[in-house]
Amino acid sequence: MKTLIKDGTVVSASDSFVADVWIDGDKIVGMTHPSARATMPVGPDVTQIDAKGQYVIPGGIDCHTHMSLPFGGTTASDDFDTGTVAAAHGGTTTIVDFAIQSKGSSMRAGLDAWHAKAEGKAAIDYGFHMIMTEANPQTLAEMADMVREGVTSFKMFMAYPGVFLVDDQQIFRAMLRAGELGALITMHAEIGLPIDVLVQRALSEGHTAPVYHALTRPEVAEATGTERAIALAEMAKVPVYMVHLSAQRALARVMEARDRGLPTYAETCPQYLFLTEDHLRGEPGNEWKGAGYVATPPLRPKHHHDHLWRGLQNYDLQVVATDHCPFCMKDQKELGRGDFSKIPNGMPGVETRLHLLWEGVTMGKISMNRFVEITSTAPAKIFGMYGKKGTLAIGADADVVVWDPKKSKRLDQANLHMNVDYSPYEGHTVPGSPSHVLSRGEVVVKDDVWVAKAKQGRGQFLRRGTFGL
Ligand code: URP
Ligand code: ZN
Ligand code: ZN
C-alpha cells in the first residue's frame, strides 16, 4: 500500500515547510518538494491525499491514559477498543496506558492482565507504564523484566492511601533501581495522607458536594509532593517525571529544579489549561453537575491557566497528556451522590486533546511547532519511542495526521466517540480538525469517520526503549 500526501505544510517540532510525504506500507519513505513530482510520476498504485492548505503532523501520542481502569468501586468506561478508536478520531495514534501491579501481587500478573485487556482490542498502537504499589525485593527485581519487555517507565503515587500510596522509602528504592535499569519514575505528587484528613473533616461537617473534591486537595498538597519527589530523585541521582501537574506552585518547584540543572520533567493536561474549579461547583440548582469534573489533582482557579501556558511556552512543562479516565454520570459518578469522596476520579479527554491545544495555537498561546512537540515529539523522546513515533522522518512509522485548520468541531458528547455519557466541553466549538488520520500507513479516520477495514486488534504493542535524554 503506497500513499502520497501532497502539497501539505509539514509541521515538525522545529520546522514548517511545504512538502509531499511518501508512504510505502507502514513507513514514511520520502519527503520531497512538490515541484519534484514533475520528475517523479505518481504510479496508479499510489493513493493520493490532497493536503493543500492543511498541516501534516506526526500522529498524537497520549502518554497518560487509563483504559478499563478499575477505580473508585467501578471501571473506567472506555476500554482499549472504544478508547483507542476515540483517540484516533481526535488525531492521536499512540497511547501509553497504565498497567497496575496490585498490592500483594506481582508486576508480571499486572502486565499480563493489561496485555489481555489490550490485545485484540486496541485500534492504534499502545504501550504500557507500570503502576507500582509496592517496592519490595520481588517487585524491585521484576522491574528488570518489565524494562526488558519494553515497559520502561513506572508510576508511583503519594496519593490515594490504602489504594496506590507508597511511602518515601519505597519511592526512593524504586528510583535507585530505575537508575540502574535506565527506567523512568513518574510521580503522582499529591500528599494523600493529610488530604484524607481534610476529606474526613469536610464530610463530618456535612460538606458533600463535588466542589469539596477541590477544596480538600489544595495546591500546597501538590506543591509539597512535587518538591518531595524532586528531592528523592535528586538524592537517587535519577530523572523524574511529574504526571498531570495542575498548579502554579507545583510548577514553581519543577522550575526551581530545572534551573538547578536537575533532569525534572512534567506534563499537564488540557483540563488544567481550559477548565476551572468553578466547573466543580456545577450550576445553580444543579451542583451535582460538578461530579463530571472530578479528577485528581482537582481543577484549579482560573489564574493557574496562565502559569501553565507559560510553563509550556518556556519548556518548563514538556508534555500535554490527557489522564483519560472516563466515568459515566449515570451509575458511575453517581456512586458519589451524597459523598464527594466516593465520586470516581477521572475525566474523558483522549479524543479532544489535539483539538483543544490547536485552539491554544489559534489563541496565540503556543506555536504550531510547539503544538507538535508537546503532543507528540516530546512524549516520544521521554518515553523511548522517538524515531519510530513522534516525528515525520524517513523510516518512521507512518502515523500521520492531516490537520485542516478550516474545519471546526463542537466538542459535544454527541459529536465524540468516547464511551461516556457527557462531555466536559459541551457547547464549546474549537477551530481545526483532522481530515485524515493515518496509523502505520493506513488511513483509519477520514473526515471524522472510521474508514479502515480493521478496527479492534489492528493496534500493536510498543516495546519502548529506556530513558535516553
Ligand atoms: O482522576 C484521575 N486522575 N484518575 C486517574 C488516576 C490518576 O491519578 O491518574
Ligand atoms: Zn495520578
Ligand atoms: Zn492518571
Side-chain angles (χ1 to χ4, degrees):
M1 187 171 47
K2 293 182 180 165
T3 306
L4 168 64
I5 304 174
K6 60 180 188 184
D7 293 320
T9 299
V10 172
V11 181
S12 74
S14 54
D15 304 296
S16 314
F17 50 90
V18 174
D20 291 343
V21 178
W22 301 78
I23 295 167
D24 192 352
D26 58 0
K27 300 283 186 224
I28 295 172
V29 294
M31 229 181 276
T32 51
H33 191 269
S35 62
R37 287 209 303 276
T39 55
M40 296 168 68
V42 185
D45 58 334
V46 178
T47 304
Q48 299 190 40
I49 296 173
D50 182 3
K52 205 176 177 64
Q54 301 187 63
Y55 298 109
V56 183
I57 59 177
I61 298 177
D62 189 346
C63 58
H64 191 150
T65 68
H66 298 282
M67 303 304 171
S68 293
L69 175 74
F71 199 44
T74 183
T75 301
S77 58
D78 263 321
D79 62 12
F80 276 86
D81 170 5
T82 59
T84 56
V85 168
H89 278 86
T92 286
T93 51
T94 302
I95 62 165
V96 188
D97 201 80
F98 286 85
I100 301 180
Q101 175 257 320
S102 306
K103 278 197 200 299
S105 184
S106 64
M107 284 195 190
R108 169 87 280 136
L111 183 58
D112 289 350
W114 249 260
H115 274 301
K117 283 176 199 264
E119 235 173 76
K121 281 208 154 189
I124 56 166
D125 293 351
Y126 59 94
F128 297 131
H129 313 277
M130 175 60 66
I131 289 178
M132 264 183 105
T133 57
E134 280 163 317
N136 57 35
Q138 185 202 345
T139 54
L140 290 168
E142 279 190 293
M143 285 174 78
D145 302 334
M146 299 297 114
V147 170
R148 243 191 323 272
E149 293 177 33
V151 178
T152 53
S153 42
F154 299 83
K155 181 178 179 188
M156 303 191 86
F157 289 77
M158 291 175 165
Y160 308 129
V163 185
F164 290 141
L165 183 143
V166 278
D167 63 32
D168 282 8
Q169 192 179 71
Q170 295 189 65
I171 294 170
F172 190 58
R173 285 192 200 284
M175 283 178 166
L176 290 171
R177 185 80 180 120
E180 290 166 4
L181 297 168
L184 181 62
I185 297 293
T186 74
M187 287 299 306
H188 181 133
E190 290 176 297
I191 47 169
L193 289 167
I195 285 173
D196 253 21
V197 176
L198 293 180
V199 169
Q200 292 317 319
R201 191 178 68 179
L203 289 172
S204 70
E205 289 168 353
H207 301 305
T208 60
V211 69
Y212 282 90
H213 176 71
L215 302 181
T216 55
R217 307 185 85 91
E219 175 185 11
V220 62
E222 188 182 348
T224 304
T226 304
E227 179 163 355
R228 236 168 71 192
I230 291 168
L232 293 169
E234 183 176 4
M235 285 165 68
K237 298 188 170 44
V238 295
V240 66
Y241 178 97
M242 317 310 301
V243 294
H244 50 44
L245 188 143
S246 72
Q248 176 192 357
R249 284 174 64 181
L251 175 59
R253 300 288 90 84
V254 169
M255 288 164 67
E256 277 164 25
R258 290 178 63 82
D259 286 349
R260 286 195 293 120
L262 294 175
T264 305
Y265 303 91
E267 79 183 16
T268 189
C269 310
Q271 55 269 34
Y272 304 120
L273 295 164
F274 287 91
L275 304 174
T276 76
E277 188 180 279
D278 285 342
H279 288 92
L280 275 158
R281 295 182 192 279
E283 286 168 355
N286 184 13
E287 60 182 19
W288 174 245
K289 194 172 177 213
Y293 296 89
V294 168
T296 306
L299 302 180
R300 305 291 186 187
K302 192 165 177 10
H303 72 269
H304 291 269
H305 292 185
D306 289 342
H307 295 278
L308 297 178
W309 280 114
R310 207 169 309 134
L312 289 168
Q313 289 154 6
N314 295 343
Y315 291 78
D316 291 311
L317 294 169
Q318 289 72 45
V319 171
V320 178
T322 62
D323 197 6
H324 176 75
C325 190
F327 297 100
C328 291
M329 293 297 285
K330 186 171 172 329
D331 296 338
Q332 296 198 297
K333 292 283 184 184
E334 255 166 21
L335 295 169
R337 251 194 213 275
D339 179 348
F340 70 88
S341 73
K342 293 199 167 65
I343 301 171
N345 289 193
M347 283 172 57
V350 76
E351 189 174 355
T352 49
R353 179 181 64 131
L354 264 56
H355 279 105
L356 288 162
L357 287 171
W358 185 261
E359 188 178 25
V361 172
T362 63
M363 289 155 76
K365 301 282 191 194
I366 47 173
S367 69
M368 285 193 296
N369 307 95
R370 189 74 183 129
F371 165 84
V372 167
E373 192 164 18
I374 61 183
T375 57
S376 182
T377 307
K381 287 183 177 173
I382 292 171
F383 291 108
M385 296 173 272
Y386 190 61
K388 185 173 169 61
K389 306 289 188 191
T391 180
L392 297 184
I394 292 165
D397 280 1
D399 289 358
V400 187
V401 175
V402 184
W403 187 270
D404 188 345
K406 298 178 296 302
K407 283 180 183 276
S408 64
K409 181 152 178 138
R410 201 171 135 138
L411 302 182
D412 290 357
Q413 188 255 340
N415 294 334
L416 297 168
H417 301 80
M418 298 175 283
N419 183 35
V420 63
D421 61 2
Y422 73 101
S423 164
Y425 305 97
E426 195 73 27
H428 185 63
T429 300
V430 286
S433 217
S435 67
H436 298 76
V437 178
L438 288 81
S439 161
R440 271 181 288 101
E442 183 180 20
V443 178
V444 289
V445 175
K446 185 169 184 291
D447 295 325
D448 218 17
V449 175
W450 186 272
V451 292
K453 274 196 205 82
K455 199 181 229 181
Q456 294 96 342
R458 67 169 300 291
Q460 295 177 357
F461 173 65
L462 272 169
R463 296 170 79 98
R464 294 181 294 111
T466 49
F467 182 76
L469 290 183

